[in-house]
Amino acid sequence: DQCREHSSILTDIVNRSTYEELLVYHSKMYQYNNEFDNHVTGLLGRHSDWRAPVLLYRIYDPMLLQKFISFYPIYVLDLFRQHSDGIRDCFNQAQMRKVRFYDQDHLDQLPKNTMKLIVSYNHFTHCDHDKILRDLTMLKTFLAPGGTISFNFCDSETSIGAKAFESNMRSFV
């Protein structure tokens, strides 16, 4: 119970951050993750299809979007509208025609039951159990039958996850 209470305080601080504060936080807390990169590359090998849409949920590294350029269209669902500017700076105009930006206020405009792949990276590492369930339930409405949702989270049952939680770097899940 104490861990969950401490985790709630930590996740509230992270989730109330401004866009600029969140970018600074992510740049300090996260380094390149080879395991995740290999996982995403494997997913893309199995799911990549120029006729299939992909949804990227709260991915703060614009360069990660390049991995998904083989999908059409690419939906980016983010909390901050400023994130789309960073993505636009990384791609040429022809590639940007494939990308559709949405924020939490326009979820009703996102197509339901159509995404072949939904990916979230380093969002659920700062969510408590209830928020993870709420977000996954919401994301499930966009997933096509047979589609895949891929995300990472802090598994506090492992020594690495427990250390990340104790260091105030990740939530307790």
Side-chain angles (χ1 to χ4, degrees):
D1 289 340
Q2 287 176 332
C3 291
R4 283 191 172 81
E5 184 177 324
H6 178 73
S7 183
S8 291
I9 293 168
L10 172 68
T11 58
D12 283 347
I13 291 169
V14 171
N15 291 316
R16 282 188 306 206
S17 299
T18 65
Y19 177 70
E20 291 78 17
E21 292 168 339
L22 200 57
L23 287 181
V24 169
Y25 179 82
H26 275 264
S27 69
K28 286 180 183 177
M29 293 296 178
Y30 293 102
Q31 289 79 38
Y32 178 75
N33 185 330
N34 194 38
E35 182 180 343
F36 178 76
D37 191 56
N38 290 336
H39 174 71
V40 169
T41 302
L43 279 174
L44 294 176
R46 290 188 301 277
H47 296 284
S48 186
D49 186 346
W50 64 271
R51 299 163 297 181
V54 63
L55 173 63
L56 305 179
Y57 184 63
R58 293 194 182 182
I59 294 181
Y60 298 104
D61 180 5
M63 299 311 291
L64 190 60
L65 185 86
Q66 289 180 338
K67 291 186 171 298
F68 300 93
I69 209 69
S70 61
F71 286 88
Y72 182 79
I74 302 169
Y75 293 96
V76 177
L77 178 55
D78 207 327
L79 183 63
F80 301 102
R81 293 180 186 185
Q82 300 98 312
H83 188 232
S84 61
D85 297 334
I87 291 174
R88 283 187 179 93
D89 293 342
C90 295
F91 297 93
N92 66 45
Q93 191 65 21
Q95 290 174 320
M96 286 309 302
R97 291 183 311 176
K98 299 172 84 171
V99 183
R100 313 284 190 269
F101 296 100
Y102 290 84
D103 58 33
Q104 296 294 126
D105 296 333
H106 298 95
L107 287 177
D108 58 325
Q109 297 174 4
L110 215 81
K112 306 273 193 259
N113 303 315
T114 58
M115 305 300 164
K116 184 170 185 179
L117 179 63
I118 297 175
V119 177
S120 181
Y121 184 47
N122 293 338
H123 166 67
F124 292 108
T125 57
H126 298 96
C127 295
D128 61 23
H129 186 263
D130 293 337
K131 176 138 178 66
I132 290 174
L133 290 178
R134 281 192 310 271
D135 284 4
L136 288 176
T137 300
M138 178 266 303
L139 290 173
K140 184 181 172 198
T141 65
F142 304 117
L143 194 63
T148 301
I149 296 178
S150 177
F151 61 95
N152 63 328
F153 68 98
C154 181
D155 183 358
S156 298
E157 296 290 323
T158 67
S159 60
I160 293 171
K163 184 176 180 179
F165 167 69
E166 291 168 353
S167 302
N168 291 325
M169 294 170 52
R170 308 288 187 273
S171 62
F172 179 82
V173 178

